[in-house]
Amino acid sequence: MRWLVVVFIGLCLVLIIGCAKKETELVFAVGGAPNEVDYWETLIREFEARTNYKVKLLRQPTDTDQRRQTLVISLKAKKSNPDVFLMDVAWVAQFAASGWLLPLDELVKRDNFDMSALFTPVIRQVDIYKGENIIAFPVYIDCGLLYYRKDLLARYREPVPETWEEALSSAEKIQKAERKNNPQFYGFVWQGAQYEGLVCNLVEFITAFGGRIVDEKGAITLNRPENVKAVQFMKDLIHTYKVSPPNTFTEMKEEEVRMFFENGNALFERNWPYAWKLHESEQSPVKGKVGITVLPKAEGGRHSAALGGWHIGISRYSDNQEQAWELVRFILSYDVQKKLALNLGWNPGRKDIYDDPEVKQKIPHVGVLKRAFQNTVARPPVPSYTQLSEIIQKYVNSAIAGKIPPSTALQQAQKQIESTLKAYNE
Ligand code: GLC
């Protein structure tokens, strides 16, 4: 008799657990700076309160390459989670070509989802696969910016730089003077570590010097005299002018650079818009002292800003596609997009937020962002981009580390890229 009771209780438990498991739990993968991931937690709790769904946040690192790798492992294995994730603009094409993204066209049509509120050119370029299927939407759009110390430029009577010549001259002068009180002080910090951010910085320097990565016919042409000049300049910033710290090529990613500047140890910083909100936060030593402008240009080139940003998509293998779609719509809603702009300083993927009076008042540098947007340069949106990027990262990092001359680095990278593209038939 007793064992019958035990079996009965056991069966009940299995049933209860089984039912509980059936309650929808969406898994949403997001990464970024720690404050960004924390803010997603807040938003997700809001979504849960509005719906009956549970959402588990899969916290990813800051580094885009690592974020991609963790997603690729699940998607290659056709795992049903994560259901929803953010993708870097740099790898949306690869995810689409791998067939990992749920086409959203039918859902858009069925629910009359108003895509016109979003940045249509970006959608056309990134989120419509092969000009046919909608596979993602922009959550926010990034562009490289120059942050500067307003107080120091004013104290030393130096201008907000328009050219690299001006920037370098102010960096050298102010670094020398500031070192008397702060031996850690540097003129300019930027992302030079061997990772995706280096390619973004490279694209900006190359454009500033009049070069390019993709030619008129869409072919990758890294090895050009202007590009060599740009890489030489990047290397010189560290080794010749010594205005950028020696760990630029070993350690400097977004967050390292952001903290270096925020701690009061640099005059100029290259970073994305997210850094502004943190520089202006209560605990920031540089609060109230930071200005933003477009990245300088060099002779023969122009101002430029690498086009970055993060797009949202649903996994083709998700078991909760309806609920996932609801989460996507929530994130693209006016309300949430405005919160992302105000709380994280992001450039929302929705156009209408930029006219919001509160956003205009609280993000005073909207004009600068607009100017930066006009100068954006995209990375090649090809499915094999990750492989190309890894080659570029490796060679350019070796060049700025002083291990190989810039011209050799670009020549060798070009050769490897050509054979990779051949292997991918692109
Ligand atoms: C930012 C950009 C992204 C870029 C990455 C590089 O997250 O939004 O597009 O690839 O930085 O580190």
Side-chain angles (χ1 to χ4, degrees):
M1 190 59 192
R2 194 182 275 175
W3 67 266
L4 257 180
V5 174
V6 172
V7 169
F8 178 73
I9 294 175
L11 273 176
C12 289
L13 277 177
V14 168
L15 269 175
I16 292 169
I17 293 169
C19 290
K21 264 199 171 157
K22 274 195 195 117
E23 186 188 313
T24 305
E25 188 186 66
L26 279 173
V27 179
F28 177 34
V30 283
N35 71 307
E36 296 176 309
V37 186
D38 288 344
Y39 193 65
W40 278 115
E41 290 279 3
T42 314
L43 289 175
I44 287 318
R45 299 292 86 87
E46 245 179 64
F47 177 72
E48 284 181 331
R50 286 190 197 188
T51 59
N52 289 323
Y53 318 138
K54 284 247 143 299
V55 181
K56 195 172 127 203
L57 210 63
L58 194 68
R59 294 177 77 105
Q60 297 187 294
T62 313
D63 184 327
T64 173
D65 303 330
Q66 290 167 16
R67 287 170 75 170
R68 188 182 56 79
Q69 277 154 17
T70 52
L71 292 175
V72 166
I73 292 168
S74 298
L75 291 163
K76 266 197 177 154
K78 304 193 167 121
K79 285 210 175 135
S80 59
N81 86 46
D83 301 273
V84 184
F85 38 80
L86 294 192
M87 292 168 284
D88 189 336
V89 62
W91 30 271
V92 174
Q94 184 205 352
F95 275 38
S98 305
W100 293 332
L101 302 174
L102 180 75
L104 303 171
D105 310 68
E106 275 177 27
L107 295 167
V108 165
K109 230 193 258 159
R110 186 195 69 192
D111 297 338
N112 271 330
F113 177 71
D114 182 14
M115 280 176 30
S116 68
L118 303 166
F119 273 109
T120 337
V122 177
I123 295 185
R124 235 180 275 129
Q125 208 189 325
V126 182
D127 302 309
I128 302 191
Y129 183 54
K130 291 197 166 159
E132 287 168 11
N133 291 113
I134 308 165
I135 37 85
F137 285 114
V139 174
Y140 68 99
I141 299 165
D142 259 343
C143 51
L145 298 167
L146 185 78
Y147 290 83
Y148 59 90
R149 287 282 300 276
K150 284 192 290 197
D151 57 329
L152 293 180
L153 287 184
R155 189 180 316 150
Y156 294 96
R157 295 174 195 280
E158 290 292 305
V160 174
E162 273 291 307
T163 64
W164 274 115
E165 211 182 342
E166 279 171 358
L168 181 60
S169 136
S170 305
E172 284 179 314
K173 175 174 162 189
I174 296 178
Q175 175 175 304
K176 193 163 168 225
E178 285 294 299
R179 283 265 173 103
K180 287 180 195 136
N181 298 321
N182 178 3
Q184 317 281 347
F185 195 89
Y186 276 91
F188 175 48
V189 281
W190 48 284
Q191 292 83 22
Q194 188 177 336
Y195 83 117
E196 183 60 32
L198 172 59
V199 183
C200 298
N201 283 246
L202 173 76
V203 162
E204 288 159 353
F205 277 112
I206 279 181
T207 315
F209 278 81
R212 60 207 302 186
I213 285 194
V214 183
D215 70 14
E216 304 78 9
K217 291 186 200 129
I220 311 275
T221 49
L222 255 191
N223 191 19
R224 297 164 168 268
E226 301 87 355
N227 296 3
V228 173
K229 251 199 214 164
V231 177
Q232 182 67 47
F233 183 70
M234 292 163 84
K235 176 185 165 188
D236 288 344
L237 286 171
I238 309 166
H239 301 275
T240 309
Y241 311 123
K242 297 185 176 13
V243 291
S244 297
N247 67 347
T248 299
F249 52 86
T250 50
E251 281 167 315
M252 287 301 214
K253 299 184 179 181
E254 282 81 9
E255 278 292 89
E256 287 76 8
V257 166
R258 200 256 308 160
M259 287 185 276
F260 199 101
F261 181 86
E262 202 162 294
N263 285 332
N265 293 329
L267 171 67
F268 297 124
E269 170 200 21
R270 184 269 172 210
N271 219 328
W272 306 101
Y274 88 99
W276 183 74
K277 205 61 206 164
L278 294 162
H279 292 335
E280 286 303 308
S281 66
E282 275 317 312
Q283 59 277 23
S284 161
V286 294
K287 181 175 166 39
K289 299 177 179 165
V290 181
I292 305 185
T293 186
V294 291
L295 287 160
K297 58 183 176 181
E299 218 186 299
R302 65 171 177 88
H303 294 293
S304 77
L307 178 66
W310 289 79
H311 295 237
I312 195 163
I314 300 176
S315 162
R316 191 184 272 272
Y317 309 114
S318 160
D319 291 330
N320 309 307
Q321 296 179 347
E322 275 297 331
Q323 293 87 346
W325 171 235
E326 233 175 281
L327 178 61
V328 169
R329 277 186 302 165
F330 169 77
I331 291 169
L332 297 173
S333 66
Y334 190 94
D335 196 29
V336 172
Q337 288 271 299
K338 181 172 167 182
K339 282 185 180 157
L340 290 172
L342 290 179
N343 291 287
L344 298 180
W346 285 358
N347 298 324
R350 275 187 84 109
K351 288 179 287 195
D352 43 7
I353 306 296
Y354 296 79
D355 297 325
D356 186 286
E358 196 185 351
V359 171
K360 273 192 185 158
Q361 186 215 336
K362 293 196 175 150
I363 306 189
H365 55 275
V366 166
V368 171
L369 292 177
K370 202 166 160 201
R371 208 175 146 209
F373 274 142
Q374 283 157 357
N375 291 309
T376 49
V377 188
R379 288 158 280 172
V382 292
S384 60
Y385 176 73
T386 311
Q387 283 76 11
L388 302 193
S389 169
E390 274 167 13
I391 299 169
I392 298 174
Q393 290 170 30
K394 186 173 89 185
Y395 285 103
V396 173
N397 185 263
S398 291
I400 64 171
K403 289 189 201 144
I404 42 174
S407 56
T408 318
L410 295 186
Q411 258 165 35
Q412 291 183 357
Q414 177 74 29
K415 241 200 222 151
Q416 257 196 31
I417 286 175
E418 278 164 17
S419 57
T420 302
L421 285 177
K422 228 184 246 160
Y424 278 83
N425 240 343
E426 276 172 20

